[in-house]
Amino acid sequence: MAQVSLRKVIKKYDEVLAVRGVDLDIADKEFIVLVGPSGCGKSTTLRMIAGLEEISGGDIAIGGDVVNDVPPKDRDIAMVFQNYALYPHMNVYENMSFGLKLKKTPKQEIDQRVRAAAGILDITELLDRKPKQLSGGQRQRVAMGRAIVRDPKVFLFDEPLSNLDAKLRVQMRTEIKKVHQKVRTTTVYVTHDQVEAMTLADRVVVMNAGLIEQVGTPNDLYHSPATKFVAGFIGSPAMNFIPCQLEQAAGALRVRLSDKLSFPVPDGRTARYTSNVGKPNLILGLRPEHIAETRPHIEPNQHDFDQVIEVVEPMGMETLVYFTLAGAEVCGRVNPNAGATAERSMKLRADLSNMHLIDDTTGKVL
Amino acid sequence: MANAAVATAGAVRPLRYGSISRDRKWALRWSYFFLTLFAIFFLMPPFYMLITSLKPKEEIAAITNPWWVYAPTLDNFIELLTQNAYMTFFRNSAIVSVCVVIVTMLISVIAAFSLARMKFWGSATLATGVFLTYLIPDTLLFIPLFKMMSWVRDTTGIELVNHWWTMIILYPTLTVPFCTWIMIGYFASIPKELDEAALIDGATWMQTLTRIFIPVALPGIIAATIFCFTVSWAQFLYPLAFTTSTTELVLPVGIVTTLIKGDVFNWGQIMAGALLGAAPPLIIYAFLMDYYIAGLTAGATKG
């Protein structure tokens, strides 16, 4: 087990910068998830940690030792691939023991370790089978088993659940979390699925265009995103971005969305926002759950407004309503019994205590 | 209401069941017809060879029905197999073919692995070069090869012409490019994550090749082996050009040069010799046919 650190890591393919200077410290036993849209450099970063891609600049250290020029086999890492990459001609036992055999581990120890790992993953009865006789979920387990058996310093996962169907993906997600709680090995996990990132990670690293946008716990990222990108990427349905103006009237700050509609800024935020009064390109960021139906009892910073609903999407436990506000499509989450109907007006309630004010010019959350 | 519904239902024309199976039946009939036609067409020469090899000399020369044996005899086979020369040809051919297969596979598997997997400067150009080499016909190659051999003799004093073992050096010029090309295609179809997994597991390039690639690509390797064996077993031009002494000949050339004396064709023995000569590839194909087909098609369809 070990900490991993990346210092100004760069990856260049010919003239294209895929990773543009990544700094990251991963603590021992930590579960880190790299998340971002395709092409953001997350997989490349992982492959550089694995040693499958050479780095074009910077340093990567595992357990305190710089491993820039160390080949993958000497980095003491294990990797789980998206397509499992099981050796098709070997059975599960041979797949799991291949690495140990190459290291000339004594037979008895190999057997003991394979059986222990198989026990953790509940695949003991599959040890004699060939990969093609296994289902997707079972193959995924074997791929994890192959990683666990070697007892490496770091686990690397490269979108391991992308090939599974939706139901199995949720199940395996829990499985991976359980395994990590049992073996406590430092883990770097790459995914494009923000739900996977939120549910698995101790800390999430959001990447975009070869750079780290923000590093933080899942709750940090959700409640205090640093940039518009993170605010929009984390959370489903995504945060609403409504163009707005910040105006000062009678000593109080107000966010104006349209001629008719404006909300007062919560008291606690006045000081933070005052310097932005009159700034162009401001955006109000409000998550769908902070736009709900009106209720008899009103809390501070909550404000009712009338709105014609355009589309209604019943989800069972909640109903999503869509409407246009200040030229932006806005999503709200209302109670299924609130009587939301398409093309009818409805009284909604915005909760501004969790609002975000975003400067669209810099992309920063103010 | 109910009556109306029944009336409409009655007006609908009954479905014609079985039209698909009728189409299929006709397709099958046609395919059987043409397959039989092709089979007859292609099996006619070997059948004629068999008939002729069973005829005594007089019957071959006589004007009788050529498709029938009136006095079947095994004399042709017995004479052939008791001749020392034929057994020498057979032995030469067998040793040459086996050695060529070994040499070719050793070179082309390693070459294909490095061309398919290791990125190095000029690897793509080299791979194309290998294929282009295969496109050059052997009729063009044997003259420069002659030149090279005389150069070897002049500089080292080693005589390469008129030795059966020279074929072990010559045939790979035909087999290595093609086998390498087949293997490149086959290795390229193996997912890249497989060697990355092996690399992380601690395997060297050589271990990745021997423990992962060769077992996974076995159908492809067997296909290449069969091809290689067939080419060296049936090769006619090189041994004809490079060997002359009876003891140094391989089977295809040996049959033609020793059994045709001037304008006297010993047809019975020629046919018997050719039939026996065709046996080893036939036996190999019969056993490894499934592998051969899997090997040739897999590289083509898996991206």
Side-chain angles (χ1 to χ4, degrees), chain B residues 120-197:
Chain B
F120 55 89
W121 190 84
S123 56
T125 322
L126 267 176
T128 321
V130 167
F131 186 59
L132 289 179
T133 320
Y134 175 67
L135 294 181
I136 299 169
D138 45 356
T139 38
L140 285 182
L141 279 177
F142 79 96
I143 296 166
L145 281 171
F146 243 120
K147 283 268 177 202
M148 284 165 69
M149 286 181 175
S150 53
W151 179 82
V152 168
R153 186 188 50 220
D154 294 346
T155 47
T156 64
I158 300 170
E159 179 60 83
L160 290 172
V161 176
N162 200 15
H163 288 298
W164 60 264
W165 45 261
T166 308
M167 302 306 131
I168 299 171
I169 311 169
L170 287 179
Y171 290 180
T173 58
L174 307 169
T175 51
V176 166
F178 186 73
C179 292
T180 308
W181 192 253
I182 293 188
M183 295 311 302
I184 289 177
Y186 210 87
F187 284 157
S189 73
I190 296 174
K192 209 170 164 16
E193 283 83 357
L194 220 56
D195 32 315
E196 289 178 344

Side-chain angles (χ1 to χ4, degrees), chain A residues 165-342:
Chain A
D165 63 60
K167 200 175 167 189
L168 202 54
R169 201 177 304 164
V170 175
Q171 201 183 326
M172 285 308 292
R173 202 168 72 197
T174 327
E175 203 76 24
I176 290 177
K177 197 156 192 174
K178 269 190 206 156
V179 169
H180 181 253
Q181 281 161 0
K182 273 185 207 160
V183 298
R184 305 298 299 170
T185 304
T186 313
T187 302
V188 186
Y189 186 108
V190 162
T191 178
H192 60 266
D193 181 353
Q194 53 95 18
V195 179
E196 237 169 71
M198 297 285 281
T199 48
L200 283 171
D202 291 328
R203 282 192 304 156
V204 179
V205 178
V206 182
M207 290 188 71
N208 183 29
L211 282 172
I212 291 181
E213 287 271 334
Q214 191 176 0
V215 184
T217 63
N219 280 333
D220 273 350
L221 294 186
Y222 192 81
H223 295 294
S224 330
T227 62
K228 185 187 175 193
F229 179 82
V230 176
F233 193 78
I234 302 287
S236 175
M239 185 188 283
N240 297 304
F241 294 129
I242 313 160
C244 68
Q245 277 129 29
L246 197 62
E247 55 182 36
Q248 196 147 27
L253 282 183
R254 290 186 79 84
V255 203
R256 177 160 296 283
L257 304 176
S258 66
D259 294 342
K260 283 180 237 158
L261 190 59
S262 72
F263 301 121
V265 168
D267 292 340
R269 309 221 178 184
T270 319
R272 207 161 108 196
Y273 291 158
T274 310
S275 61
N276 297 299
V277 173
K279 228 183 198 180
N281 290 331
L282 286 185
I283 285 177
L284 170 68
L286 206 54
R287 292 209 179 271
E289 60 265 39
H290 299 132
I291 301 174
E293 75 284 0
T294 184
R295 271 167 239 163
H297 177 69
I298 194 152
E299 303 265 341
N301 301 323
Q302 293 185 340
H303 307 280
D304 287 350
F305 63 103
D306 286 308
Q307 182 63 46
V308 177
I309 306 298
E310 286 162 9
V311 176
V312 176
E313 285 182 353
M315 307 284 282
M317 58 178 273
E318 66 191 13
T319 294
L320 300 179
V321 293
Y322 293 89
F323 51 91
T324 310
L325 201 58
E329 176 160 282
V330 176
C331 173
R333 286 175 145 168
V334 302
N335 190 301
N337 301 320
T341 317

Side-chain angles (χ1 to χ4, degrees), chain A residues 13-155:
Chain A
Y13 291 108
D14 297 324
E15 283 314 299
V16 183
L17 270 176
V19 176
R20 305 188 291 162
V22 163
D23 279 289
L24 183 63
D25 279 297
I26 302 166
D28 188 18
K29 296 175 188 167
E30 195 175 18
F31 198 122
I32 282 274
V33 176
L34 305 181
V35 68
S38 27
C40 71
K42 55 189 192 303
S43 271
T44 311
T45 307
L46 187 82
R47 291 171 59 83
M48 286 192 288
I49 299 174
L52 295 172
E53 299 278 354
E54 281 178 38
I55 60 173
S56 315
D59 285 316
I60 293 177
I62 297 174
D65 305 318
V66 174
V67 293
N68 293 2
D69 297 318
V70 177
K73 66 185 171 92
D74 299 326
R75 292 192 183 195
D76 202 2
I77 44 142
M79 188 154 166
V80 177
F81 294 89
Q82 181 178 347
N83 62 2
Y84 325 126
L86 299 177
Y87 310 125
H89 57 297
M90 299 182 191
N91 65 24
V92 171
Y93 187 97
E94 290 162 338
N95 259 290
M96 287 168 71
S97 60
F98 185 65
L100 296 177
K101 258 188 216 158
L102 290 175
K103 274 198 217 156
K104 305 220 173 352
T105 316
K107 260 204 173 127
Q108 207 180 348
E109 196 191 330
I110 292 180
D111 192 64
Q112 199 186 329
R113 282 163 77 168
V114 169
R115 287 186 192 283
I120 291 176
L121 291 160
D122 207 12
I123 50 171
T124 311
E125 71 282 8
L126 304 176
L127 286 176
D128 295 328
R129 299 227 195 134
K130 289 270 173 72
K132 67 169 177 225
Q133 296 167 296
L134 303 176
S135 69
Q138 289 170 328
R139 285 180 204 184
Q140 190 56 61
R141 272 169 222 257
V142 175
M144 270 160 66
R146 191 166 65 178
I148 294 172
V149 160
R150 296 183 41 223
D151 191 21
K153 283 183 187 159
V154 186
F155 277 153

Side-chain angles (χ1 to χ4, degrees), chain B residues 224-301:
Chain B
T225 307
I226 295 176
F227 169 82
C228 183
F229 183 84
T230 317
V231 165
S232 37
W233 189 262
Q235 177 55 229
F236 184 74
L237 187 69
Y238 281 2
L240 184 71
F242 291 96
T243 50
T244 44
S245 317
T246 314
T247 50
E248 304 299 330
L249 295 179
V250 291
L251 204 53
V253 180
I255 293 171
V256 173
T257 51
T258 56
L259 298 177
I260 303 173
K261 293 186 175 102
D263 55 354
V264 180
F265 288 72
N266 195 347
W267 283 121
Q269 285 190 26
I270 290 178
M271 294 304 172
L275 270 183
L276 289 177
L282 207 67
I283 292 166
I284 291 177
Y285 272 98
F287 279 106
L288 300 174
M289 196 57 167
D290 292 344
Y291 274 114
Y292 188 61
I293 291 167
L296 284 186
T297 50
T301 51

